[in-house]
Amino acid sequence: MNKITTFLDEYLEKSNRKGIGAVEANELLAKSGILKDNESRAGKPLRDLLRKGNLPHAFQMEGKGSSWIIPHSNNNKNRILNHLSVKRQTNDNVTNKTSKKTNEPISTSKLKIQLDQARNKYKPEKVKYLLIAEAPPDNLERFFYYENVSQHDYLFLGIAEALFPVLKNQFIDNGRKPETKEIILRKFQQEGFYLLDFSELPLSLLESDLKSQLPNLIERTKPVINDDTHIILIKANVYDSVFHSLNAKFKNVINQRIAFPGQGWQKEFQIKFKEALIVAGI
């Protein structure tokens, strides 16, 4: 446990954050070879340790049954104010080409609106290819549709590599400038691509398991697609949880189990995602 505590403390210090959710923390621990994650239930190994009280400085935001927050081991619950402080990113207009961020507690309903606004900015008039990923990241600064993401933009980079490799390389070479990501997102939109998440909220904010979000996903999918839309599922647990249900309700759900492009799975993602694109007629 000392190894886990030390690793997370150092991460929070380096990233200048007050706390981290269990799902994101387990992902980082798995990547470092400290605590293997559960592929079908992200964050479960760490949550099991938290429930046993192995990290006594961690707490649940709204009491038993709510999301876990792990602060620095030298901090306490009162210093976190028993709220998840979300770094809300909003983008200035095109003339400024910059982003500004503010820190403030935010309700889940406001958070959904904020994420939808960022997503809808790049929604095609006609969605030809609907990608369904797992959930917005616990660190919301890394949301797929935010232009100013300086690191850990795994899903965006993986998709950009498969669809627009030249632009993706330019994005990396010029230091991940927001205006370059905006160009790629606009091309993504123009080509008819759109991305939804299985869960509207980060996994650390869910009050039940991921599979409980399926009815909501179906309702959010209906107005987005038409009979010609191809649906591609990203991440193994997303495929396992929703493929049969979506395939029973919608046409053109591609039967391809695709790994998330992170934690060493980038090459596997490229192979499987490109195979799905071929099936979709690209």
Side-chain angles (χ1 to χ4, degrees), residues 151-174:
Q151 59 183 345
H152 307 314
D153 205 0
Y154 301 120
L155 182 56
F156 173 77
L157 291 176
I159 291 173
E161 172 69 24
L163 295 175
F164 319 118
V166 174
L167 284 173
K168 181 258 185 178
N169 289 336
Q170 290 176 359
F171 177 58
I172 298 297
D173 292 343
N174 70 16

Side-chain angles (χ1 to χ4, degrees), residues 34-279:
I34 298 174
L35 180 65
K36 187 177 180 180
D37 206 351
N38 185 307
E39 183 175 347
S40 61
R41 297 186 65 186
K44 185 178 185 300
L46 183 56
R47 286 197 299 273
D48 289 342
L49 295 175
L50 294 172
R51 293 186 184 107
K52 293 177 183 178
N54 289 334
L55 275 73
H57 57 288
F59 62 93
Q60 289 175 282
M61 290 191 299
E62 297 176 6
K64 188 175 181 180
S66 62
S67 302
W68 285 96
I69 291 296
I70 306 168
H72 194 285
S73 61
N74 290 333
N75 291 346
N76 59 37
K77 183 176 178 179
N78 290 331
R79 289 183 66 179
I80 304 297
L81 302 176
N82 204 21
H83 283 288
L84 179 63
S85 182
V86 176
K87 287 189 175 182
R88 185 173 66 183
Q89 174 172 316
T90 56
N91 293 282
D92 289 341
N93 58 37
V94 176
T95 56
N96 289 331
K97 299 289 184 182
T98 58
S99 297
K100 55 185 178 181
K101 306 168 187 175
T102 58
N103 292 325
E104 61 181 45
I106 186 170
S107 70
T108 56
S109 59
K110 289 182 179 179
L111 179 55
K112 288 179 182 179
I113 293 172
Q114 172 189 321
L115 295 177
D116 280 343
Q117 287 175 338
R119 196 190 309 269
N120 290 333
K121 180 179 177 181
Y122 296 100
K123 185 176 182 292
E125 289 186 13
K126 181 180 180 181
V127 176
K128 298 179 181 179
Y129 314 102
L130 176 64
L131 312 184
I132 299 178
E134 183 181 40
D138 283 340
N139 181 355
L140 286 170
E141 288 189 318
R142 297 190 285 113
F143 183 52
F144 181 89
Y145 278 107
Y146 284 161
E147 293 92 345
N148 191 14
V149 181
S150 61
Q151 59 183 345
H152 307 314
D153 205 0
Y154 301 120
L155 182 56
F156 173 77
L157 291 176
I159 291 173
E161 172 69 24
L163 295 175
F164 319 118
V166 174
L167 284 173
K168 181 258 185 178
N169 289 336
Q170 290 176 359
F171 177 58
I172 298 297
D173 292 343
N174 70 16
R176 306 193 186 201
K177 291 181 179 178
E179 50 265 42
T180 307
K181 182 171 181 180
E182 181 181 353
I183 290 171
I184 298 174
L185 287 172
R186 287 297 178 202
K187 189 166 180 60
F188 189 70
Q189 176 189 27
Q190 291 164 6
E191 296 288 334
F193 285 92
Y194 192 54
L195 184 135
L196 290 179
D197 287 303
F198 186 0
S199 169
E200 290 184 275
L201 293 170
L203 296 180
S204 62
L205 295 181
L206 291 183
E207 296 180 354
S208 54
D209 63 23
L210 184 60
K211 290 183 180 180
S212 68
Q213 305 303 304
L214 179 56
N216 179 260
L217 172 65
I218 291 173
E219 291 305 309
R220 287 185 286 118
T221 300
K222 287 178 181 178
V224 170
I225 66 172
N226 55 63
D227 287 345
D228 296 324
T229 303
H230 289 82
I231 300 175
I232 299 176
L233 308 174
I234 297 176
K235 200 170 182 184
N237 65 325
V238 175
Y239 174 92
D240 294 343
S241 298
V242 310
F243 173 73
H244 293 293
S245 296
L246 293 186
N247 195 46
K249 289 185 174 292
F250 306 122
K251 295 181 178 181
N252 303 320
V253 183
I254 295 176
N255 188 5
Q256 184 74 282
R257 197 170 187 262
I258 303 171
F260 183 83
Q263 299 185 33
W265 289 95
Q266 287 88 341
K267 290 184 179 179
E268 177 73 10
F269 172 84
Q270 291 299 317
I271 293 170
K272 296 297 184 181
F273 185 61
K274 288 177 181 177
E275 288 177 357
L277 293 176
I278 291 171
V279 175

